[in-house]
């Protein structure tokens, strides 16, 4: 056997072994990092399983759930009372930005053509819905008086 070829074979074998060893180390390191990010499986206790597969909503047929009573200071004092509270929590989601061509809060130009039809028409549209606006702003639990108070508050903002 020729000595030149055996030396080259030895060096080539060592380099190949070193490369393969490096690749194996990289794979093992990546597997270790993946194992660190694994989340623990959910508990299989009957109560935990029942909670996970339970209903995500509840259907109420008949009377709507009771409306939370507004704070006492909103009823008796403050700038807008109940109307302001309803506008802030319900109506502002569309009327603050003028979504779906709704009149913007505080914009006399947007409200003028609607006010020409009369306040009773505004009440009717707010209570029963009109165009893209759902009845009572999508909150069926609000009373007609609450909706009227909200309309009065919105209209009073620019008068």
């Amino acid at each position: 056997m020729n000595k030149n070829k055996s030396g080259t074979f030895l060096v080539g074998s060592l380099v190949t072994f070193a490369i393969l060893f490096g690749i194996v180390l990289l794979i093992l390191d990546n597997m270790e990092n993946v194992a660190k990010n694994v989340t623990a499986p959910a508990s299989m206790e009957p109560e935990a399983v029942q909670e996970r597969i339970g209903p995500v909503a509840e259907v109420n047929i008949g009377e709507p759930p009771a409306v939370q009573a507004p704070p006492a200071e909103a009823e008796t004092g403050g700038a807008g009372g109940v109307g302001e509270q309803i506008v802030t929590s319900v109506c502002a989601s569309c009327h603050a930005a003028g979504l779906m061509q709704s009149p913007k809060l505080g914009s006399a130009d947007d409200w003028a053509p609607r006010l020409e039809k009369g306040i009773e028409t505004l009440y009717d549209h707010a209570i029963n819905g009109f165009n893209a606006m759902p009845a009572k702003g999508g909150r069926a639990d609000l009373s007609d008086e609450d909706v009227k108070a909200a309309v009065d508050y919105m209209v009073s903002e620019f008068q």
Side-chain angles (χ1 to χ4, degrees):
M1 203 185 218
N2 190 351
K3 288 187 176 190
N4 289 341
K5 287 185 181 180
S6 67
T8 306
F9 180 76
L10 177 65
V11 171
S13 297
L14 290 174
V15 169
T16 303
F17 177 76
I19 290 172
L20 289 175
F21 186 73
I23 290 172
V24 169
L25 285 178
L26 284 173
I27 291 172
L28 291 175
D29 187 48
N30 281 338
M31 289 175 64
E32 186 178 59
N33 287 338
V34 168
K36 289 178 186 175
N37 295 327
V38 173
T39 57
S43 170
M44 295 305 290
E45 294 294 323
E47 296 83 19
V49 172
Q50 186 62 34
E51 183 179 333
R52 283 195 305 272
I53 65 172
V56 295
E58 188 176 304
V59 176
N60 291 320
I61 299 175
E63 289 292 319
V67 179
Q68 283 185 332
E73 65 271 5
E75 290 180 16
T76 58
V82 175
E84 180 181 14
Q85 181 184 13
I86 293 170
V87 168
T88 303
S89 64
V90 179
C91 309
S93 59
C94 292
H95 287 281
L99 296 179
M100 296 178 282
Q101 300 172 344
S102 64
K104 291 182 184 177
L105 293 173
S107 173
D109 293 336
D110 288 353
W111 285 92
R114 291 160 175 88
L115 282 173
E116 289 175 3
K117 296 177 183 177
I119 193 73
E120 291 301 320
T121 303
L122 282 177
Y123 290 153
D124 180 59
H125 290 173
I127 293 169
N128 300 312
F130 183 73
N131 292 337
M133 179 177 165
K136 297 182 179 181
R139 287 279 308 270
D141 58 324
L142 294 175
S143 69
D144 290 355
E145 290 75 29
D146 290 340
V147 175
K148 287 179 181 181
V151 170
D152 290 339
Y153 177 76
M154 285 193 279
V155 170
S156 72
E157 284 296 297
F158 57 85
Q159 287 181 339

